[in-house]
Every structure is written in C-alpha cells, then in structure tokens.
Amino acid sequence: MTQTYKALVGTRQDGKLSVGFAQLDAADIGDGDVEIAVEYSTLNYKDGLAISDAIPIVQQERLILGIDMAGTVVSSDSSRFAVGDRVVMNGYGASETHNGGYTERLRTNADYLVKLPDGITTRQAMAIGTAGYTAMLSVMRLEKLGVVPESGVVLVTGASGGVGTVAISLLSALGYRVTASTGRMEEADFLKSLGANDVINRAELSEPGEMMQAPRWAAAVDSCGSHTLANVIAQLHYSGVVTACGLAQGLDLPSNMMPFALRNVTLLGVDSVHAPMSLREEAWRRLAKDLDMAKLEALTINIPFDEIPSAAGKILQGQIRGRAVVEIAK
C-alpha cells in the first residue's frame, strides 16, 4: 500500500479559498532537496489570516498550509543537512508560494531550513515559532540601535499575543524594564509572571491621538500597527526606537512627521519571512541562550492537528493567549 501523509490543504478556485484535510502521497508533499518528518507546527496570527483568507496570503491554486514547522530530516541531497538533523522552517513563503508545515511529511528546499541549536527541542522550536523568532529579531534591532536596559522603559503592544509574550520574556531576561499593553487586563498577572513590570490597557493607545504626546517610552515592540503604532511613535522619548512587525489593529499608520523631526525617533520594520539566513541563525542562537524555557512553557498551549481550522478564527479574535503548538506526529 502506498504511504500517505495527512495535511491541511488550501485550494483556491475562482478566487475563493477552501481549506480541508487531505491524505497526500509522496508526489504531493513538496519539491526540494530535503525531506522532513514533521513533528510540530504552530498557529500564528498570519496562519489565521491565511486560513480565513482575510488577506489573500495563499497565492497558489493548491498548497499545504502552515508558515512554520519543526522536525527531523529523513532524506537529504543537500550538503548542509544529514539524516537525523533537527530543523526548523519559518516563513520564506511557506503557505504563500510553496508548501508549508501543516503536514506529516514535507519536502522542501534546504535554503529554507535552519538547523536547531542545541538546547531547543522541536516542540520548543514551535512554541517559539515565527512569532517568537520575530520577537527576537525585534529585540536584536533595538540592541543594534543602542537601546540598553539603562535607556528606560520598553513598551510591548499586543502583549498577550505570540510576539508580545515572547518579547516580554526576552526583554525581562535581558534586564529591561517592560510595560505590557493588552486588551485583556485579566491577563495582567500572567504578563507580570513573564516579566512585565507594568500592564496598561490597550485603550490608552488604540484611539486617534495628538501628533506629539508626553514622552513615555525609550523603545517599543509593536505588533498592532494603525493608531496604536501612531500613538507609540508620538510617546517615544528623544531618540526613542520602535520596531513594527504586525498589523493586529490595522494596515494603516495615521502618523505625522513631528516626532521624527523634533524628537529624532526611529521606526524600524521587522520582517521575518525573507530575513537572510545569517540573521535567522543568529536569532535562533540567541533564543537558545536568552529565552527562559520555563517561561516559554508557561505561555504555550497545545492545539490538536484536527482543530487548526477552528482555532484560526480564535487567534484572529484575540482569544488565544501566548503561543500555540500543534502536534503533528503522534
């Protein structure tokens, strides 16, 4: 009997996307020089957008969904990887232009893969996922702009989400004073357990504000965009820095030039999809060194493979706290 592999597949027909589970044979699990037995994946905000087709992320007629995966190499024609290597894939167009990680078996290009550093299991890699890896990229960008713990308070918006929870954990471990902004104030104690010193209601930032406001933040990690990001920019101290990596509130940025011209502030974009391999490898090394794995476990929930479609709606509605791991291999 031919071996088949369970996968969550998106099929686009007449512009509309339908999503469902399928049994795929070896010819349907992707193209490339490395084959991986997928052990874990995760559910990110972007996965929710892709599955719901709220934004047309899936650009092919038929694709395996899932922007992340971690597993073990079972076959390799690449000099970079050997059978038995533990690898992770984040972004690089997975679930957009080529097959992603919601599958028991994946064949893909070696250039999309990072060998996991010692100290991170495949499950922990997916507890981190694109969201946590993006948080690390954000912290690294702040550091390169000279933001240090002595600079002052760092704000983290969307604090209850995947990027936010990992960013809080990382910044706290590195000695920064962190303020968390969330729409779920009932999560305040949880966010403080991750390392937040203070928690504010997102309503303080989510409505239209003045062009220049009282300075509050030395730096910020923003995953919301729209009015939230505009207000953060207006509240940065002189030479303050904010990284922008998400659009949970919206795609727009109703800001102005005054904070840039009068306070010398910096707005940094953070892209996790096409980040170069050297930066990815550095980020994963830093995660292995700087992220408290006990805190990571505390902010992680498990989602059964079969429940990904229903959970996708919940993550878009802000109903999933922290990071969500999907167990692929039984």
PDB file of all heavy atoms in Angstrom, residues 34-74:
ATOM      1  N   VAL A  34      15.437  18.295   0.547  1.00  0.00           N
ATOM      2  CA  VAL A  34      15.404  17.767   1.905  1.00  0.00           C
ATOM      3  C   VAL A  34      13.979  17.327   2.245  1.00  0.00           C
ATOM      4  O   VAL A  34      13.020  18.052   1.969  1.00  0.00           O
ATOM      5  CB  VAL A  34      15.867  18.815   2.942  1.00  0.00           C
ATOM      6  CG1 VAL A  34      15.849  18.223   4.351  1.00  0.00           C
ATOM      7  CG2 VAL A  34      17.257  19.333   2.610  1.00  0.00           C
ATOM      8  N   GLU A  35      13.862  16.138   2.825  1.00  0.00           N
ATOM      9  CA  GLU A  35      12.555  15.642   3.272  1.00  0.00           C
ATOM     10  C   GLU A  35      12.574  15.545   4.794  1.00  0.00           C
ATOM     11  O   GLU A  35      13.523  15.040   5.387  1.00  0.00           O
ATOM     12  CB  GLU A  35      12.247  14.290   2.651  1.00  0.00           C
ATOM     13  CG  GLU A  35      10.834  13.802   2.926  1.00  0.00           C
ATOM     14  CD  GLU A  35      10.460  12.579   2.107  1.00  0.00           C
ATOM     15  OE1 GLU A  35      10.942  12.460   0.943  1.00  0.00           O
ATOM     16  OE2 GLU A  35       9.698  11.734   2.627  1.00  0.00           O
ATOM     17  N   ILE A  36      11.498  16.036   5.404  1.00  0.00           N
ATOM     18  CA  ILE A  36      11.427  16.126   6.862  1.00  0.00           C
ATOM     19  C   ILE A  36      10.193  15.401   7.377  1.00  0.00           C
ATOM     20  O   ILE A  36       9.098  15.551   6.825  1.00  0.00           O
ATOM     21  CB  ILE A  36      11.357  17.597   7.332  1.00  0.00           C
ATOM     22  CG1 ILE A  36      12.537  18.402   6.785  1.00  0.00           C
ATOM     23  CG2 ILE A  36      11.296  17.700   8.846  1.00  0.00           C
ATOM     24  CD1 ILE A  36      12.165  19.339   5.667  1.00  0.00           C
ATOM     25  N   ALA A  37      10.395  14.602   8.409  1.00  0.00           N
ATOM     26  CA  ALA A  37       9.268  14.074   9.175  1.00  0.00           C
ATOM     27  C   ALA A  37       8.867  15.174  10.159  1.00  0.00           C
ATOM     28  O   ALA A  37       9.598  15.464  11.117  1.00  0.00           O
ATOM     29  CB  ALA A  37       9.669  12.803   9.912  1.00  0.00           C
ATOM     30  N   VAL A  38       7.744  15.793   9.882  1.00  0.00           N
ATOM     31  CA  VAL A  38       7.313  16.943  10.680  1.00  0.00           C
ATOM     32  C   VAL A  38       6.782  16.449  12.021  1.00  0.00           C
ATOM     33  O   VAL A  38       5.955  15.532  12.078  1.00  0.00           O
ATOM     34  CB  VAL A  38       6.249  17.759   9.940  1.00  0.00           C
ATOM     35  CG1 VAL A  38       5.815  18.955  10.781  1.00  0.00           C
ATOM     36  CG2 VAL A  38       6.778  18.226   8.582  1.00  0.00           C
ATOM     37  N   GLU A  39       7.257  17.047  13.095  1.00  0.00           N
ATOM     38  CA  GLU A  39       6.836  16.660  14.439  1.00  0.00           C
ATOM     39  C   GLU A  39       5.875  17.668  15.060  1.00  0.00           C
ATOM     40  O   GLU A  39       4.908  17.301  15.726  1.00  0.00           O
ATOM     41  CB  GLU A  39       8.071  16.478  15.317  1.00  0.00           C
ATOM     42  CG  GLU A  39       8.969  15.332  14.840  1.00  0.00           C
ATOM     43  CD  GLU A  39      10.368  15.392  15.432  1.00  0.00           C
ATOM     44  OE1 GLU A  39      10.570  16.097  16.448  1.00  0.00           O
ATOM     45  OE2 GLU A  39      11.271  14.747  14.869  1.00  0.00           O
ATOM     46  N   TYR A  40       6.161  18.956  14.845  1.00  0.00           N
ATOM     47  CA  TYR A  40       5.326  20.016  15.422  1.00  0.00           C
ATOM     48  C   TYR A  40       5.204  21.172  14.446  1.00  0.00           C
ATOM     49  O   TYR A  40       6.087  21.428  13.630  1.00  0.00           O
ATOM     50  CB  TYR A  40       5.935  20.561  16.736  1.00  0.00           C
ATOM     51  CG  TYR A  40       6.001  19.545  17.838  1.00  0.00           C
ATOM     52  CD1 TYR A  40       7.167  18.818  18.063  1.00  0.00           C
ATOM     53  CD2 TYR A  40       4.891  19.306  18.659  1.00  0.00           C
ATOM     54  CE1 TYR A  40       7.233  17.872  19.074  1.00  0.00           C
ATOM     55  CE2 TYR A  40       4.959  18.360  19.668  1.00  0.00           C
ATOM     56  CZ  TYR A  40       6.128  17.654  19.872  1.00  0.00           C
ATOM     57  OH  TYR A  40       6.184  16.714  20.875  1.00  0.00           O
ATOM     58  N   SER A  41       4.085  21.850  14.558  1.00  0.00           N
ATOM     59  CA  SER A  41       3.909  23.134  13.889  1.00  0.00           C
ATOM     60  C   SER A  41       3.322  24.090  14.927  1.00  0.00           C
ATOM     61  O   SER A  41       3.360  23.804  16.130  1.00  0.00           O
ATOM     62  CB  SER A  41       3.013  22.996  12.658  1.00  0.00           C
ATOM     63  OG  SER A  41       2.979  24.220  11.943  1.00  0.00           O
ATOM     64  N   THR A  42       2.797  25.194  14.472  1.00  0.00           N
ATOM     65  CA  THR A  42       2.247  26.175  15.393  1.00  0.00           C
ATOM     66  C   THR A  42       1.151  26.961  14.695  1.00  0.00           C
ATOM     67  O   THR A  42       0.956  26.822  13.483  1.00  0.00           O
ATOM     68  CB  THR A  42       3.356  27.113  15.910  1.00  0.00           C
ATOM     69  OG1 THR A  42       2.813  28.007  16.876  1.00  0.00           O
ATOM     70  CG2 THR A  42       3.973  27.916  14.781  1.00  0.00           C
ATOM     71  N   LEU A  43       0.431  27.752  15.459  1.00  0.00           N
ATOM     72  CA  LEU A  43      -0.613  28.599  14.892  1.00  0.00           C
ATOM     73  C   LEU A  43      -0.252  30.048  15.187  1.00  0.00           C
ATOM     74  O   LEU A  43      -0.224  30.469  16.344  1.00  0.00           O
ATOM     75  CB  LEU A  43      -1.978  28.252  15.498  1.00  0.00           C
ATOM     76  CG  LEU A  43      -3.158  29.078  14.972  1.00  0.00           C
ATOM     77  CD1 LEU A  43      -3.435  28.745  13.503  1.00  0.00           C
ATOM     78  CD2 LEU A  43      -4.421  28.827  15.799  1.00  0.00           C
ATOM     79  N   ASN A  44       0.051  30.793  14.132  1.00  0.00           N
ATOM     80  CA  ASN A  44       0.375  32.207  14.230  1.00  0.00           C
ATOM     81  C   ASN A  44      -0.804  33.048  13.750  1.00  0.00           C
ATOM     82  O   ASN A  44      -1.720  32.548  13.086  1.00  0.00           O
ATOM     83  CB  ASN A  44       1.586  32.536  13.344  1.00  0.00           C
ATOM     84  CG  ASN A  44       2.834  31.791  13.758  1.00  0.00           C
ATOM     85  OD1 ASN A  44       3.474  32.138  14.728  1.00  0.00           O
ATOM     86  ND2 ASN A  44       3.181  30.748  13.006  1.00  0.00           N
ATOM     87  N   TYR A  45      -0.744  34.333  14.051  1.00  0.00           N
ATOM     88  CA  TYR A  45      -1.762  35.254  13.541  1.00  0.00           C
ATOM     89  C   TYR A  45      -1.822  35.184  12.013  1.00  0.00           C
ATOM     90  O   TYR A  45      -2.912  35.175  11.427  1.00  0.00           O
ATOM     91  CB  TYR A  45      -1.432  36.680  14.003  1.00  0.00           C
ATOM     92  CG  TYR A  45      -2.536  37.679  13.777  1.00  0.00           C
ATOM     93  CD1 TYR A  45      -3.582  37.820  14.695  1.00  0.00           C
ATOM     94  CD2 TYR A  45      -2.545  38.503  12.654  1.00  0.00           C
ATOM     95  CE1 TYR A  45      -4.592  38.745  14.491  1.00  0.00           C
ATOM     96  CE2 TYR A  45      -3.550  39.421  12.441  1.00  0.00           C
ATOM     97  CZ  TYR A  45      -4.571  39.546  13.362  1.00  0.00           C
ATOM     98  OH  TYR A  45      -5.578  40.460  13.156  1.00  0.00           O
ATOM     99  N   LYS A  46      -0.658  35.088  11.373  1.00  0.00           N
ATOM    100  CA  LYS A  46      -0.627  35.012   9.914  1.00  0.00           C
ATOM    101  C   LYS A  46      -1.295  33.736   9.418  1.00  0.00           C
ATOM    102  O   LYS A  46      -1.944  33.740   8.356  1.00  0.00           O
ATOM    103  CB  LYS A  46       0.813  35.095   9.420  1.00  0.00           C
ATOM    104  CG  LYS A  46       0.945  35.151   7.900  1.00  0.00           C
ATOM    105  CD  LYS A  46       2.387  35.353   7.488  1.00  0.00           C
ATOM    106  CE  LYS A  46       2.539  35.361   5.976  1.00  0.00           C
ATOM    107  NZ  LYS A  46       3.947  35.575   5.561  1.00  0.00           N
ATOM    108  N   ASP A  47      -1.164  32.624  10.160  1.00  0.00           N
ATOM    109  CA  ASP A  47      -1.870  31.400   9.782  1.00  0.00           C
ATOM    110  C   ASP A  47      -3.382  31.625   9.819  1.00  0.00           C
ATOM    111  O   ASP A  47      -4.121  31.131   8.966  1.00  0.00           O
ATOM    112  CB  ASP A  47      -1.491  30.259  10.722  1.00  0.00           C
ATOM    113  CG  ASP A  47      -0.061  29.791  10.535  1.00  0.00           C
ATOM    114  OD1 ASP A  47       0.333  29.527   9.381  1.00  0.00           O
ATOM    115  OD2 ASP A  47       0.659  29.682  11.542  1.00  0.00           O
ATOM    116  N   GLY A  48      -3.831  32.355  10.858  1.00  0.00           N
ATOM    117  CA  GLY A  48      -5.255  32.668  10.937  1.00  0.00           C
ATOM    118  C   GLY A  48      -5.717  33.464   9.742  1.00  0.00           C
ATOM    119  O   GLY A  48      -6.793  33.202   9.167  1.00  0.00           O
ATOM    120  N   LEU A  49      -4.909  34.452   9.321  1.00  0.00           N
ATOM    121  CA  LEU A  49      -5.251  35.249   8.139  1.00  0.00           C
ATOM    122  C   LEU A  49      -5.289  34.378   6.884  1.00  0.00           C
ATOM    123  O   LEU A  49      -6.175  34.527   6.038  1.00  0.00           O
ATOM    124  CB  LEU A  49      -4.230  36.368   7.956  1.00  0.00           C
ATOM    125  CG  LEU A  49      -4.212  37.481   9.013  1.00  0.00           C
ATOM    126  CD1 LEU A  49      -3.025  38.402   8.773  1.00  0.00           C
ATOM    127  CD2 LEU A  49      -5.512  38.269   9.005  1.00  0.00           C
ATOM    128  N   ALA A  50      -4.323  33.453   6.774  1.00  0.00           N
ATOM    129  CA  ALA A  50      -4.255  32.597   5.581  1.00  0.00           C
ATOM    130  C   ALA A  50      -5.447  31.656   5.507  1.00  0.00           C
ATOM    131  O   ALA A  50      -6.085  31.523   4.460  1.00  0.00           O
ATOM    132  CB  ALA A  50      -2.947  31.805   5.590  1.00  0.00           C
ATOM    133  N   ILE A  51      -5.757  30.999   6.629  1.00  0.00           N
ATOM    134  CA  ILE A  51      -6.831  30.003   6.634  1.00  0.00           C
ATOM    135  C   ILE A  51      -8.189  30.659   6.408  1.00  0.00           C
ATOM    136  O   ILE A  51      -9.047  30.123   5.697  1.00  0.00           O
ATOM    137  CB  ILE A  51      -6.809  29.212   7.959  1.00  0.00           C
ATOM    138  CG1 ILE A  51      -5.555  28.332   8.006  1.00  0.00           C
ATOM    139  CG2 ILE A  51      -8.062  28.354   8.124  1.00  0.00           C
ATOM    140  CD1 ILE A  51      -5.282  27.727   9.365  1.00  0.00           C
ATOM    141  N   SER A  52      -8.389  31.833   7.007  1.00  0.00           N
ATOM    142  CA  SER A  52      -9.668  32.539   6.837  1.00  0.00           C
ATOM    143  C   SER A  52      -9.741  33.284   5.515  1.00  0.00           C
ATOM    144  O   SER A  52     -10.825  33.708   5.101  1.00  0.00           O
ATOM    145  CB  SER A  52      -9.855  33.540   7.979  1.00  0.00           C
ATOM    146  OG  SER A  52      -8.882  34.585   7.875  1.00  0.00           O
ATOM    147  N   ASP A  53      -8.602  33.432   4.861  1.00  0.00           N
ATOM    148  CA  ASP A  53      -8.483  34.215   3.627  1.00  0.00           C
ATOM    149  C   ASP A  53      -8.865  35.676   3.849  1.00  0.00           C
ATOM    150  O   ASP A  53      -9.298  36.369   2.920  1.00  0.00           O
ATOM    151  CB  ASP A  53      -9.323  33.606   2.502  1.00  0.00           C
ATOM    152  CG  ASP A  53      -8.708  33.840   1.118  1.00  0.00           C
ATOM    153  OD1 ASP A  53      -7.475  34.013   1.037  1.00  0.00           O
ATOM    154  OD2 ASP A  53      -9.463  33.854   0.122  1.00  0.00           O
ATOM    155  N   ALA A  54      -8.684  36.144   5.083  1.00  0.00           N
ATOM    156  CA  ALA A  54      -8.937  37.550   5.386  1.00  0.00           C
ATOM    157  C   ALA A  54      -8.009  38.441   4.580  1.00  0.00           C
ATOM    158  O   ALA A  54      -8.359  39.564   4.209  1.00  0.00           O
ATOM    159  CB  ALA A  54      -8.747  37.801   6.884  1.00  0.00           C
ATOM    160  N   ILE A  55      -6.804  37.965   4.342  1.00  0.00           N
ATOM    161  CA  ILE A  55      -5.857  38.557   3.400  1.00  0.00           C
ATOM    162  C   ILE A  55      -5.438  37.424   2.472  1.00  0.00           C
ATOM    163  O   ILE A  55      -5.189  36.312   2.939  1.00  0.00           O
ATOM    164  CB  ILE A  55      -4.632  39.143   4.132  1.00  0.00           C
ATOM    165  CG1 ILE A  55      -5.051  40.329   5.007  1.00  0.00           C
ATOM    166  CG2 ILE A  55      -3.565  39.595   3.151  1.00  0.00           C
ATOM    167  CD1 ILE A  55      -3.926  40.921   5.814  1.00  0.00           C
ATOM    168  N   PRO A  56      -5.392  37.651   1.155  1.00  0.00           N
ATOM    169  CA  PRO A  56      -5.087  36.542   0.225  1.00  0.00           C
ATOM    170  C   PRO A  56      -3.621  36.122   0.287  1.00  0.00           C
ATOM    171  O   PRO A  56      -2.837  36.358  -0.636  1.00  0.00           O
ATOM    172  CB  PRO A  56      -5.457  37.123  -1.139  1.00  0.00           C
ATOM    173  CG  PRO A  56      -5.290  38.601  -0.979  1.00  0.00           C
ATOM    174  CD  PRO A  56      -5.692  38.903   0.435  1.00  0.00           C
ATOM    175  N   ILE A  57      -3.258  35.462   1.385  1.00  0.00           N
ATOM    176  CA  ILE A  57      -1.879  35.023   1.587  1.00  0.00           C
ATOM    177  C   ILE A  57      -1.537  33.846   0.683  1.00  0.00           C
ATOM    178  O   ILE A  57      -0.455  33.777   0.111  1.00  0.00           O
ATOM    179  CB  ILE A  57      -1.668  34.676   3.076  1.00  0.00           C
ATOM    180  CG1 ILE A  57      -1.660  35.967   3.906  1.00  0.00           C
ATOM    181  CG2 ILE A  57      -0.368  33.891   3.290  1.00  0.00           C
ATOM    182  CD1 ILE A  57      -1.661  35.763   5.385  1.00  0.00           C
ATOM    183  N   VAL A  58      -2.473  32.909   0.549  1.00  0.00           N
ATOM    184  CA  VAL A  58      -2.241  31.732  -0.303  1.00  0.00           C
ATOM    185  C   VAL A  58      -2.313  32.162  -1.763  1.00  0.00           C
ATOM    186  O   VAL A  58      -3.367  32.579  -2.254  1.00  0.00           O
ATOM    187  CB  VAL A  58      -3.281  30.635  -0.010  1.00  0.00           C
ATOM    188  CG1 VAL A  58      -3.049  29.429  -0.916  1.00  0.00           C
ATOM    189  CG2 VAL A  58      -3.224  30.236   1.454  1.00  0.00           C
ATOM    190  N   GLN A  59      -1.194  32.048  -2.466  1.00  0.00           N
ATOM    191  CA  GLN A  59      -1.097  32.591  -3.827  1.00  0.00           C
ATOM    192  C   GLN A  59      -1.072  31.523  -4.917  1.00  0.00           C
ATOM    193  O   GLN A  59      -0.951  31.843  -6.094  1.00  0.00           O
ATOM    194  CB  GLN A  59       0.166  33.457  -3.931  1.00  0.00           C
ATOM    195  CG  GLN A  59       0.158  34.645  -2.989  1.00  0.00           C
ATOM    196  CD  GLN A  59       1.497  35.354  -2.933  1.00  0.00           C
ATOM    197  OE1 GLN A  59       2.281  35.309  -3.890  1.00  0.00           O
ATOM    198  NE2 GLN A  59       1.792  35.998  -1.819  1.00  0.00           N
ATOM    199  N   GLN A  60      -1.166  30.254  -4.513  1.00  0.00           N
ATOM    200  CA  GLN A  60      -1.183  29.167  -5.486  1.00  0.00           C
ATOM    201  C   GLN A  60      -2.553  28.489  -5.475  1.00  0.00           C
ATOM    202  O   GLN A  60      -3.350  28.666  -4.549  1.00  0.00           O
ATOM    203  CB  GLN A  60      -0.089  28.148  -5.158  1.00  0.00           C
ATOM    204  CG  GLN A  60       1.309  28.733  -5.104  1.00  0.00           C
ATOM    205  CD  GLN A  60       1.794  29.227  -6.446  1.00  0.00           C
ATOM    206  OE1 GLN A  60       1.443  28.667  -7.486  1.00  0.00           O
ATOM    207  NE2 GLN A  60       2.597  30.281  -6.447  1.00  0.00           N
ATOM    208  N   GLU A  61      -2.815  27.698  -6.512  1.00  0.00           N
ATOM    209  CA  GLU A  61      -4.109  27.018  -6.584  1.00  0.00           C
ATOM    210  C   GLU A  61      -4.263  25.979  -5.483  1.00  0.00           C
ATOM    211  O   GLU A  61      -5.371  25.745  -4.993  1.00  0.00           O
ATOM    212  CB  GLU A  61      -4.282  26.359  -7.953  1.00  0.00           C
ATOM    213  CG  GLU A  61      -4.452  27.354  -9.089  1.00  0.00           C
ATOM    214  CD  GLU A  61      -4.715  26.666 -10.416  1.00  0.00           C
ATOM    215  OE1 GLU A  61      -4.751  25.404 -10.431  1.00  0.00           O
ATOM    216  OE2 GLU A  61      -4.890  27.361 -11.429  1.00  0.00           O
ATOM    217  N   ARG A  62      -3.154  25.344  -5.083  1.00  0.00           N
ATOM    218  CA  ARG A  62      -3.230  24.294  -4.058  1.00  0.00           C
ATOM    219  C   ARG A  62      -1.925  24.273  -3.278  1.00  0.00           C
ATOM    220  O   ARG A  62      -0.848  24.144  -3.872  1.00  0.00           O
ATOM    221  CB  ARG A  62      -3.489  22.933  -4.711  1.00  0.00           C
ATOM    222  CG  ARG A  62      -3.651  21.765  -3.733  1.00  0.00           C
ATOM    223  CD  ARG A  62      -4.009  20.505  -4.510  1.00  0.00           C
ATOM    224  NE  ARG A  62      -3.947  19.310  -3.699  1.00  0.00           N
ATOM    225  CZ  ARG A  62      -4.938  18.847  -2.934  1.00  0.00           C
ATOM    226  NH1 ARG A  62      -6.074  19.510  -2.871  1.00  0.00           N
ATOM    227  NH2 ARG A  62      -4.811  17.727  -2.248  1.00  0.00           N
ATOM    228  N   LEU A  63      -2.010  24.422  -1.966  1.00  0.00           N
ATOM    229  CA  LEU A  63      -0.826  24.438  -1.112  1.00  0.00           C
ATOM    230  C   LEU A  63      -1.116  23.782   0.223  1.00  0.00           C
ATOM    231  O   LEU A  63      -2.235  23.886   0.749  1.00  0.00           O
ATOM    232  CB  LEU A  63      -0.377  25.878  -0.826  1.00  0.00           C
ATOM    233  CG  LEU A  63       0.458  26.637  -1.859  1.00  0.00           C
ATOM    234  CD1 LEU A  63       0.794  28.022  -1.313  1.00  0.00           C
ATOM    235  CD2 LEU A  63       1.721  25.881  -2.201  1.00  0.00           C
ATOM    236  N   ILE A  64      -0.101  23.141   0.787  1.00  0.00           N
ATOM    237  CA  ILE A  64      -0.150  22.766   2.195  1.00  0.00           C
ATOM    238  C   ILE A  64       0.027  24.047   3.001  1.00  0.00           C
ATOM    239  O   ILE A  64       0.934  24.834   2.747  1.00  0.00           O
ATOM    240  CB  ILE A  64       0.966  21.761   2.541  1.00  0.00           C
ATOM    241  CG1 ILE A  64       0.825  20.483   1.709  1.00  0.00           C
ATOM    242  CG2 ILE A  64       0.953  21.432   4.034  1.00  0.00           C
ATOM    243  CD1 ILE A  64       2.007  19.535   1.831  1.00  0.00           C
ATOM    244  N   LEU A  65      -0.835  24.271   3.957  1.00  0.00           N
ATOM    245  CA  LEU A  65      -0.799  25.490   4.752  1.00  0.00           C
ATOM    246  C   LEU A  65       0.186  25.358   5.909  1.00  0.00           C
ATOM    247  O   LEU A  65       0.745  24.292   6.157  1.00  0.00           O
ATOM    248  CB  LEU A  65      -2.199  25.820   5.254  1.00  0.00           C
ATOM    249  CG  LEU A  65      -3.274  25.971   4.168  1.00  0.00           C
ATOM    250  CD1 LEU A  65      -4.623  26.294   4.776  1.00  0.00           C
ATOM    251  CD2 LEU A  65      -2.872  27.040   3.149  1.00  0.00           C
ATOM    252  N   GLY A  66       0.376  26.470   6.644  1.00  0.00           N
ATOM    253  CA  GLY A  66       1.247  26.475   7.812  1.00  0.00           C
ATOM    254  C   GLY A  66       2.583  27.132   7.536  1.00  0.00           C
ATOM    255  O   GLY A  66       3.377  26.621   6.744  1.00  0.00           O
ATOM    256  N   ILE A  67       2.865  28.270   8.177  1.00  0.00           N
ATOM    257  CA  ILE A  67       4.090  29.003   7.873  1.00  0.00           C
ATOM    258  C   ILE A  67       5.294  28.480   8.658  1.00  0.00           C
ATOM    259  O   ILE A  67       6.419  28.897   8.391  1.00  0.00           O
ATOM    260  CB  ILE A  67       3.912  30.515   8.115  1.00  0.00           C
ATOM    261  CG1 ILE A  67       3.706  30.834   9.597  1.00  0.00           C
ATOM    262  CG2 ILE A  67       2.762  31.048   7.285  1.00  0.00           C
ATOM    263  CD1 ILE A  67       3.712  32.324   9.894  1.00  0.00           C
ATOM    264  N   ASP A  68       5.065  27.581   9.624  1.00  0.00           N
ATOM    265  CA  ASP A  68       6.136  27.059  10.471  1.00  0.00           C
ATOM    266  C   ASP A  68       6.115  25.544  10.506  1.00  0.00           C
ATOM    267  O   ASP A  68       5.055  24.922  10.365  1.00  0.00           O
ATOM    268  CB  ASP A  68       5.955  27.507  11.931  1.00  0.00           C
ATOM    269  CG  ASP A  68       6.317  28.954  12.166  1.00  0.00           C
ATOM    270  OD1 ASP A  68       6.998  29.544  11.318  1.00  0.00           O
ATOM    271  OD2 ASP A  68       5.903  29.484  13.200  1.00  0.00           O
ATOM    272  N   MET A  69       7.261  24.960  10.769  1.00  0.00           N
ATOM    273  CA  MET A  69       7.314  23.536  11.121  1.00  0.00           C
ATOM    274  C   MET A  69       8.665  23.231  11.740  1.00  0.00           C
ATOM    275  O   MET A  69       9.666  23.919  11.504  1.00  0.00           O
ATOM    276  CB  MET A  69       7.037  22.627   9.914  1.00  0.00           C
ATOM    277  CG  MET A  69       8.116  22.508   8.884  1.00  0.00           C
ATOM    278  SD  MET A  69       9.310  21.207   9.281  1.00  0.00           S
ATOM    279  CE  MET A  69      10.778  21.861   8.486  1.00  0.00           C
ATOM    280  N   ALA A  70       8.718  22.182  12.538  1.00  0.00           N
ATOM    281  CA  ALA A  70       9.970  21.659  13.078  1.00  0.00           C
ATOM    282  C   ALA A  70       9.899  20.146  13.029  1.00  0.00           C
ATOM    283  O   ALA A  70       8.847  19.545  13.295  1.00  0.00           O
ATOM    284  CB  ALA A  70      10.194  22.131  14.517  1.00  0.00           C
ATOM    285  N   GLY A  71      11.022  19.524  12.672  1.00  0.00           N
ATOM    286  CA  GLY A  71      11.030  18.070  12.581  1.00  0.00           C
ATOM    287  C   GLY A  71      12.429  17.550  12.349  1.00  0.00           C
ATOM    288  O   GLY A  71      13.429  18.246  12.555  1.00  0.00           O
ATOM    289  N   THR A  72      12.494  16.308  11.887  1.00  0.00           N
ATOM    290  CA  THR A  72      13.769  15.611  11.714  1.00  0.00           C
ATOM    291  C   THR A  72      13.959  15.217  10.257  1.00  0.00           C
ATOM    292  O   THR A  72      13.029  14.693   9.618  1.00  0.00           O
ATOM    293  CB  THR A  72      13.810  14.351  12.600  1.00  0.00           C
ATOM    294  OG1 THR A  72      13.649  14.745  13.968  1.00  0.00           O
ATOM    295  CG2 THR A  72      15.125  13.625  12.443  1.00  0.00           C
ATOM    296  N   VAL A  73      15.147  15.452   9.732  1.00  0.00           N
ATOM    297  CA  VAL A  73      15.459  15.126   8.344  1.00  0.00           C
ATOM    298  C   VAL A  73      15.475  13.609   8.155  1.00  0.00           C
ATOM    299  O   VAL A  73      16.132  12.884   8.910  1.00  0.00           O
ATOM    300  CB  VAL A  73      16.822  15.721   7.944  1.00  0.00           C
ATOM    301  CG1 VAL A  73      17.235  15.251   6.548  1.00  0.00           C
ATOM    302  CG2 VAL A  73      16.776  17.243   8.004  1.00  0.00           C
ATOM    303  N   VAL A  74      14.731  13.149   7.148  1.00  0.00           N
ATOM    304  CA  VAL A  74      14.705  11.717   6.845  1.00  0.00           C
ATOM    305  C   VAL A  74      15.382  11.405   5.513  1.00  0.00           C
ATOM    306  O   VAL A  74      15.699  10.249   5.229  1.00  0.00           O
ATOM    307  CB  VAL A  74      13.258  11.172   6.839  1.00  0.00           C
ATOM    308  CG1 VAL A  74      12.658  11.243   8.235  1.00  0.00           C
ATOM    309  CG2 VAL A  74      12.392  11.916   5.829  1.00  0.00           C
TER     310      VAL A  74
END
